[in-house]
Amino acid sequence: MTSRNFALSMGEMASSSSSNKKMKMVNDSRWSELPNLITEMIVDRLGFLDILRFGAVCKNWRSVFSEARRRRFHPMVLFEYNLQKGTFGFYSFEDKKVYWKNLEDRYPARHCVGSCDSWLVLSSPYLQNYFLLNPFTGARVECPYVNRPDVDVFTKVILLDSPIDLTTKRTNCYCTVVALNLFSTELNICRLGDARWTVLKMGHEHFLGSLVYFKSQIYTLSIHGELWIISLSGPKLRATVEKVLVQINLTIGLEFQKECYLVEAEDYLLMVIRIKRKSLKKTVRFVIYKLVQNPGDYKWIREYNLPDDQALFLGRLSSKIVSTTEYGGLQGNSIYFTDDKLLHKARVSEYPETGIYNIRSGIITPYRSFDLYPFDLPHIWITPSLK
């Protein structure tokens, strides 16, 4: 493993001798005098974690670092999260290394129930409330209190916008949070800053853990294969619901079980079906469908491959398509998958099932080259951001 945290890796660069200190001061002064054009060229060639270190060198470099904060960075996997101590362990696909982040201010939490880009959705261990946390910056945003004893736990949460306004650096009160509770037949919706959640009753249907925001609408799947399309409008979050039954022809044997995921892929929507062997609880393959929408007509069309320059990150809390051209070091036409257990029931004797599924060959290989023992929590996809 690499250094235990970002600050330590910076500290190891210092020399103990006085002569080296003097030389370091001279070198620092010369580095700080580099023109911004040169330092910008350097930043363009750095990964996320190196950019963190870059911004700590000197005042001039911090100004360039501020502009680099808007860049998009490689996806990571969050494999360890001690929510009581504020310790997070990340695996970087960019350099194939493990990094640790310790937040100075601890944010005790009970469960992680959602993730969106660089934000985690966490439940409080003391009250029935949820908050958003960026583990890279330590930024925290509160959600409304859930004043209902029948709400057990949210099991899927999505954000329809950034929780932080990039101009004012304050809470974005227009950011909508949508939560799915698998033990009920409703969606819970709020805008950050609202006093309470809006409850959207969904009839008598029970829903899968699939929830995605696509083309300004919310999509979710019922256990009967119905696709629910929800439009939100108005300051009080009025909802319009469209329900369509979209059949697929997929037969699996009795020894198998399946999980369904909805994934936004630029201008179309995918449904990915994960097929697992019941006896071993091991994934054997994935099947992909693309939603074709015409007026009054919806169809799932089988897709046998992804483009060679795309990879799919798949997980219960978040899924996304990424470009292997933009993010080097990833396998194209492949599915990077994590365990699909509910996180609040994850402390069991088995370790998370993870891997890379090559869609063309059907072969599953590990996406890491090391053993994660004793870290046994399901992995969470997260995209670093310093915004």
Side-chain angles (χ1 to χ4, degrees):
M1 291 187 179
T2 61
S3 56
R4 296 298 292 181
N5 57 57
F6 304 141
L8 177 60
S9 63
M10 285 293 300
E12 291 173 346
M13 297 171 63
S15 170
S16 59
S17 67
S18 58
S19 59
N20 285 344
K21 289 181 180 178
K22 292 179 181 179
M23 182 62 70
K24 183 178 182 299
M25 291 175 63
V26 174
N27 290 339
D28 282 351
S29 64
R30 291 175 179 174
W31 282 109
S32 64
E33 294 171 2
L34 284 174
N36 283 354
L37 178 62
I38 301 298
T39 53
E40 289 171 3
M41 292 174 63
I42 295 173
V43 169
D44 286 342
R45 289 163 172 77
L46 297 180
F48 173 74
L49 299 173
D50 290 326
I51 287 178
L52 286 177
R53 303 182 181 105
F54 180 94
V57 172
C58 64
K59 182 178 180 180
N60 289 343
W61 285 28
R62 274 195 298 274
S63 63
V64 178
F65 162 77
S66 297
E67 292 300 319
R69 296 174 68 173
R70 299 179 179 272
R71 276 179 46 188
R72 299 173 61 185
F73 298 99
H74 270 65
M76 290 183 172
V77 62
L78 177 60
F79 67 88
E80 169 65 5
Y81 27 102
N82 189 321
L83 302 178
Q84 296 298 320
K85 296 182 179 180
T87 302
F88 299 87
F90 304 93
Y91 176 67
S92 169
F93 290 96
E94 186 174 13
D95 55 15
K96 305 296 188 294
K97 294 180 180 179
V98 170
Y99 295 89
W100 294 88
K101 175 68 173 177
N102 297 309
L103 295 181
E104 294 180 1
D105 297 322
R106 296 179 180 179
Y107 299 110
R110 181 178 51 183
H111 306 301
C112 181
V113 296
S115 67
C116 184
D117 293 330
S118 61
W119 291 87
L120 302 176
V121 185
L122 303 172
S123 62
S124 169
Y126 311 117
L127 300 171
Q128 285 183 286
N129 72 308
Y130 296 81
F131 63 93
L132 314 177
L133 177 69
N134 184 327
F136 302 100
T137 65
R140 172 175 173 152
V141 179
E142 297 290 341
C143 293
Y145 178 71
V146 182
N147 189 21
R148 294 179 55 210
D150 57 324
V151 173
D152 186 353
V153 63
F154 293 155
T155 53
K156 174 75 175 183
V157 180
I158 61 173
L159 308 178
L160 307 193
D161 203 345
S162 171
I164 298 293
D165 187 293
L166 298 182
T167 302
T168 64
K169 307 301 181 183
R170 297 179 179 178
T171 299
N172 177 13
C173 294
Y174 294 98
C175 175
T176 302
V177 184
V178 182
L180 179 66
N181 186 340
L182 289 187
F183 307 108
S184 69
T185 57
E186 63 189 33
L187 289 179
N188 296 265
I189 307 169
C190 75
R191 288 198 179 103
L192 297 180
D194 286 354
R196 61 181 61 86
W197 292 81
T198 297
V199 179
L200 177 61
K201 297 292 184 179
M202 306 288 280
H204 299 288
E205 291 290 341
H206 284 269
F207 291 87
L208 302 170
S210 298
L211 192 65
V212 68
Y213 188 57
F214 174 66
K215 290 188 176 181
S216 302
Q217 293 178 307
I218 301 164
Y219 288 72
T220 186
L221 284 170
S222 78
I223 60 174
H224 298 299
E226 291 176 324
L227 185 67
W228 289 61
I229 307 169
I230 303 148
S231 302
L232 300 178
S233 62
K236 294 186 178 181
L237 290 176
R238 295 181 179 178
T240 303
V241 179
E242 179 183 4
K243 180 176 64 173
V244 292
L245 181 61
V246 190
Q247 298 286 358
I248 60 171
N249 296 318
L250 177 64
T251 302
I252 62 174
L254 295 177
E255 69 273 25
F256 299 103
Q257 65 184 48
K258 60 184 180 181
E259 297 282 346
C260 296
Y261 308 81
L262 292 177
V263 185
E264 177 188 3
E266 296 181 353
D267 59 343
Y268 55 91
L269 189 68
L270 295 178
M271 177 174 62
V272 182
I273 299 177
R274 176 179 185 163
I275 300 174
K276 301 177 69 174
R277 191 176 297 277
K278 292 180 181 178
S279 58
L280 300 176
K281 296 183 179 180
K282 292 294 183 182
T283 299
V284 294
R285 66 188 176 107
F286 294 87
V287 181
I288 303 174
Y289 290 88
K290 176 180 178 180
L291 183 65
V292 177
Q293 296 177 256
N294 295 311
D297 184 29
Y298 294 79
K299 293 181 180 179
W300 289 115
I301 304 299
R302 178 76 178 268
E303 293 286 310
Y304 291 91
N305 286 286
L306 292 176
D308 289 332
D309 62 349
Q310 289 185 0
L312 170 57
F313 283 76
L314 196 72
R316 176 178 290 278
L317 296 189
S318 64
S319 301
K320 66 187 304 182
I321 293 279
V322 300
S323 166
T324 57
T325 302
E326 183 177 0
Y327 303 111
L330 300 175
Q331 296 183 24
N333 193 23
S334 297
I335 298 176
Y336 288 68
F337 65 93
T338 68
D339 203 283
D340 58 358
K341 294 192 296 289
L342 294 176
L343 296 185
H344 65 287
K345 297 182 178 179
R347 287 294 185 184
V348 293
S349 57
E350 62 189 67
Y351 288 97
E353 185 194 14
T354 63
I356 306 173
Y357 177 78
N358 184 288
I359 298 174
R360 183 170 287 110
S361 68
I363 296 175
I364 297 176
T365 56
Y367 62 58
R368 64 189 189 280
S369 57
F370 57 91
D371 186 4
L372 284 177
Y373 179 86
F375 307 116
D376 59 353
L377 286 172
H379 294 181
I380 300 173
W381 302 124
I382 190 166
T383 304
S385 173
L386 295 171
K387 295 180 181 179

